[in-house]
């Protein structure tokens, strides 16, 4: 029976080429728009490349300062946002490093460092990350030479640096450069390790240089003024849980630590605003917005996806109705030979699904090509932009970070939903007509 259905599909594609072309291209364009959103979501949140622990990583990126007040009963409450900024390193050191729930905790500052290139005798600006030893537990960097700096190096202000392969080749012409000197921000560091290049769209780990934050230029660690000086700064914090479900436990422990920070004598108090975030939540968190706006934005994206599915499905449904009118005699003959309503509906579903799948494959190819054109806009990371240092350019995307089992499943699922929405009513309507009525339709 399946062979018969496939022959019928091939015949239908040849019988009305214009209809088939419109049907397939309509499906392809719809899937292209939806896949742009889903590919962006996947690259920003999935376990890919060196960021293969995103499912249990959490992000503390913003310091929210509120002004305390008193209600009519005399009870204290905190209302009225005063300011929002990246986090101060002293807050992380004093209150977040003591956390017991996470497997690892890392202070991170995205910065632009000046490196002296002796070969060209020029100073060059390079994206850098000043961080601590736990950073290397969170990302699966592959070392080509040497290894990462240690916790002892961080605490002793050791001027050690890990560089990527392209920087090593640009500065020294090779990768085996452990213990070579390198001038960073007019200070001499020693290379302790060389890693494979990290694509810039993996923005949580991306840099050309990684060195202990304790050696960073002091201007990057100026906090706020008065009682805000320990709260505000240029940093953020990555937290690695043992499991995805650790988020709430980590949040509760952080809230307990914040109670120690919010001493009654201070005029301004600090709130986490429901941090730490998952990778998905941090993607939608923007500046000083309250927590509920994160899910409002998620709902907007979901509505856009639904609209991009329903509107084309309604148009395709009209095309299917037009085709069904021409196939009345065929349906009548099948029913006369004993075909049930479900047999006919199954055939119609399969025929349209195969055509949609062809459109889905075309749509996936179109979405990948279009994604390459607009990727710099789509892959903006708020976790990076929060430090006022945007990622400069996006490298050539790894093919398997786009075309993989997940994206193929997305395409099949979208095709199935489009097919279900557009075919269900016409198929049900025409499968239930009587034999006489079907044979008389022209």
């Amino acid at each position: 029976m399946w062979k018969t259905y496939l022959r019928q599909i091939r015949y239908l594609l040849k019988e009305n080429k214009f209809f088939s072309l419109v049907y397939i291209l309509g499906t392809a364009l719809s899937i292209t728009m939806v896949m742009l959103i889903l590919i962006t979501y996947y690259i920003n949140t999935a376990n890919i490349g060196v960021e293969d622990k995103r499912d249990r990583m959490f992000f503390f990126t913003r310091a929210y300062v509120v002004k305390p007040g008193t209600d009519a009963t005399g009870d204290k409450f905190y209302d009225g946002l005063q300011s929002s900024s990246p986090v101060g390193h002293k807050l992380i050191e004093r209150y977040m490093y003591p956390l017991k729930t996470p497997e690892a905790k890392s202070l991170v500052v995205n910065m632009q460092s000046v490196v002296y290139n002796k070969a060209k005798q020029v100073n060059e600006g390079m994206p850098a990350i000043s961080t601590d030893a736990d950073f290397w537990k969170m990302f699966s960097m592959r070392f080509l030479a040497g290894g990462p700096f240690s916790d002892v190096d961080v605490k002793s202000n050791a001027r050690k640096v890990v560089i990527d392969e392209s920087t090593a080749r640009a500065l020294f012409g090779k990768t085996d450069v452990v213990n070579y000197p390198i001038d960073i921000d007019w200070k001499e560091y020693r290379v302790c390790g060389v890693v494979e290049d990290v694509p810039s769209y993996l923005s949580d780990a991306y840099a050309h240089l990684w060195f202990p934050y304790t050696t960073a230029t002091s201007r990057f660690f100026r906090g706020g003024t008065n009682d805000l000086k320990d709260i505000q700064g240029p940093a953020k914090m990555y937290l690695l849980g043992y499991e995805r479900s650790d988020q709430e436990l980590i949040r509760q422990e952080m809230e307990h630590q914040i109670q120690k920070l919010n001493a009654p004598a201070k005029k301004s108090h600090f709130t986490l605003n429901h941090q730490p975030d998952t990778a998905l939540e941090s993607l939608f968190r923007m500046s000083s917005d309250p927590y509920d706006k994160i899910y409002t934005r998620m709902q907007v994206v979901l509505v856009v996806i639904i609209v991009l599915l329903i509107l084309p499905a309604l148009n395709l449904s009209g095309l299917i109705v037009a085709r069904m009118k021409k196939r009345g005699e065929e349906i009548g003959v099948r029913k006369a030979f004993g075909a049930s309503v479900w047999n006919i509906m199954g055939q119609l579903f399969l025929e349209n699904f195969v055509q949609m799948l062809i459109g889905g494959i075309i749509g996936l190819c179109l979405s990948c090509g279009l994604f390459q054109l607009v990727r710099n806009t789509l892959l903006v990371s708020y976790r990076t932009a929060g430090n006022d240092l945007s990622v400069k350019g996006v490298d050539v995307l790894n093919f398997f970070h786009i075309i993989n089992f997940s994206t193929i499943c997305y395409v099949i699922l979208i095709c199935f939903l489009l097919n279900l929405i557009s075919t269900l009513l016409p198929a049900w309507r025409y499968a239930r007509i009587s034999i006489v009525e079907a044979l008389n339709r022209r």
Side-chain angles (χ1 to χ4, degrees):
M1 184 174 67
W2 290 102
K3 291 182 179 180
T4 303
Y5 284 168
L6 292 175
R7 283 197 298 269
Q8 177 73 4
I9 292 168
R10 186 172 60 182
Y11 171 76
L12 289 173
L13 289 172
K14 291 180 178 180
E15 180 189 33
N16 194 334
K17 295 181 180 179
F18 178 76
F19 175 90
S20 299
L21 181 63
V22 172
Y23 192 88
I24 290 171
L25 289 181
T27 302
L29 291 175
S30 178
I31 289 178
T32 297
M33 296 298 102
V34 176
M35 286 305 300
L36 277 177
I37 298 174
L38 294 179
I39 289 173
T40 303
Y41 159 79
Y42 181 81
I43 289 178
N44 278 291
T45 61
N47 295 337
I48 56 176
V50 299
E51 298 185 9
D52 58 357
K53 301 181 184 72
R54 281 176 173 168
D55 58 336
R56 56 190 181 97
M57 275 189 69
F58 310 106
F59 302 89
F60 172 36
T61 59
R62 305 294 300 180
Y64 295 91
V65 179
V66 294
K67 187 176 182 179
T70 306
D71 62 16
T73 64
D75 293 331
K76 278 194 172 183
F77 68 94
Y78 302 103
D79 191 20
L81 182 69
Q82 281 187 311
S83 63
S84 167
S85 73
V87 187
H89 71 289
K90 290 185 178 179
L91 184 154
I92 294 175
E93 289 174 341
R94 295 173 184 174
Y95 298 97
M96 299 302 154
Y97 274 161
L99 295 174
K100 303 297 183 183
T101 307
E103 179 183 344
K105 304 145 292 190
S106 182
L107 184 157
V108 175
V109 178
N110 291 91
M111 52 201 299
Q112 196 80 2
S113 289
V114 177
V115 177
Y116 181 66
N117 188 329
K118 291 183 179 179
K120 297 181 180 179
Q121 295 187 343
V122 294
N123 289 316
E124 298 178 340
M126 291 188 180
I129 287 179
S130 57
T131 185
D132 52 31
D134 270 12
F135 180 88
W136 306 104
K137 297 179 182 179
M138 299 188 175
F139 303 103
S140 301
M141 306 278 200
R142 180 171 175 266
F143 279 83
L144 304 177
F149 47 82
S150 66
D151 191 50
V152 173
D153 294 327
V154 175
K155 292 178 179 178
S156 63
N157 300 350
R159 290 180 185 169
K160 293 186 177 181
V161 61
V162 174
I163 62 178
D164 65 356
E165 181 180 2
S166 60
T167 301
R169 295 191 183 281
L171 297 179
F172 306 107
K174 57 182 181 178
T175 58
D176 187 13
V177 294
V178 174
N179 210 35
Y180 278 45
I182 176 174
D183 290 333
I184 303 174
D185 296 328
W186 298 277
K187 296 178 183 178
E188 185 178 284
Y189 284 71
R190 291 280 173 174
V191 176
C192 64
V194 180
V195 297
E196 285 186 340
D197 291 346
V198 177
S200 62
Y201 57 86
L202 301 179
S203 57
D204 294 326
Y206 168 71
H208 290 310
L209 315 165
W210 298 264
F211 48 82
Y213 77 92
T214 51
T215 66
T217 308
S218 59
R219 66 188 176 90
F220 287 105
F221 289 97
R222 289 182 300 187
T225 58
N226 301 325
D227 59 343
L228 302 183
K229 62 182 179 181
D230 294 343
I231 295 175
Q232 297 177 324
K236 56 189 171 183
M237 190 176 194
Y238 300 161
L239 301 110
L240 182 65
Y242 289 96
E243 297 178 358
R244 168 66 181 84
S245 57
D246 287 344
Q247 181 185 18
E248 188 57 36
L249 294 175
I250 294 172
R251 181 180 292 132
Q252 291 174 6
E253 190 178 4
M254 290 176 68
E255 289 285 1
H256 179 72
Q257 291 296 99
I258 294 308
Q259 290 177 9
K260 300 177 184 179
L261 171 64
N262 288 332
K266 290 187 176 181
K267 296 180 181 179
S268 300
H269 285 232
F270 168 68
T271 177
L272 290 173
N273 198 8
H274 215 264
Q275 295 179 92
D277 298 323
T278 62
L280 178 60
E281 289 169 341
S282 66
L283 186 65
F284 286 90
R285 184 183 289 273
M286 300 175 71
S287 187
S288 59
D289 288 343
Y291 177 72
D292 56 359
K293 286 196 175 181
I294 293 176
Y295 283 92
T296 300
R297 293 191 185 95
M298 291 183 186
Q299 290 167 1
V300 170
V301 172
L302 182 60
V303 169
V304 170
I305 292 176
I306 292 173
V307 169
L308 289 174
L309 285 173
I310 291 179
L311 290 182
L314 293 176
N315 291 329
L316 293 174
S317 182
L319 291 175
I320 293 171
V321 169
R323 174 182 277 183
M324 290 297 100
K325 289 180 179 179
K326 296 181 179 180
R327 298 180 63 186
E329 293 180 356
E330 174 198 334
I331 294 172
V333 170
R334 288 204 62 203
K335 295 194 74 171
F337 278 91
S340 67
V341 171
W342 297 110
N343 287 143
I344 295 173
M345 287 187 66
Q347 179 187 349
L348 296 176
F349 269 108
L350 181 62
E351 290 172 359
N352 290 304
F353 180 73
V354 170
Q355 293 180 77
M356 282 191 171
L357 202 56
I358 296 171
I361 295 170
I362 296 173
L364 179 59
C365 296
L366 288 174
S367 63
C368 291
L370 188 58
F371 189 84
Q372 292 281 1
L373 296 176
V374 298
R375 60 191 179 179
N376 286 7
T377 301
L378 294 176
L379 292 179
V380 169
S381 170
Y382 295 117
R383 296 192 290 275
T384 300
N387 289 316
D388 299 322
L389 288 170
S390 59
V391 173
K392 291 190 174 182
V394 178
D395 307 303
V396 175
L397 287 162
N398 186 316
F399 177 80
F400 295 104
H401 290 172
I402 301 179
I403 307 299
N404 49 47
F405 180 74
S406 295
T407 51
I408 292 172
C409 288
Y410 285 148
V411 170
I412 294 174
L413 178 62
I414 294 169
C415 288
F416 176 79
L417 291 175
L418 275 173
N419 187 40
L420 184 66
I421 297 170
S422 62
T423 309
L424 182 62
L425 187 59
W428 175 252
R429 176 184 173 187
Y430 281 90
R432 294 176 68 248
I433 62 176
S434 65
I435 297 174
V436 175
E437 184 180 358
L439 291 173
N440 289 328
R441 283 180 178 264
R442 298 290 180 183

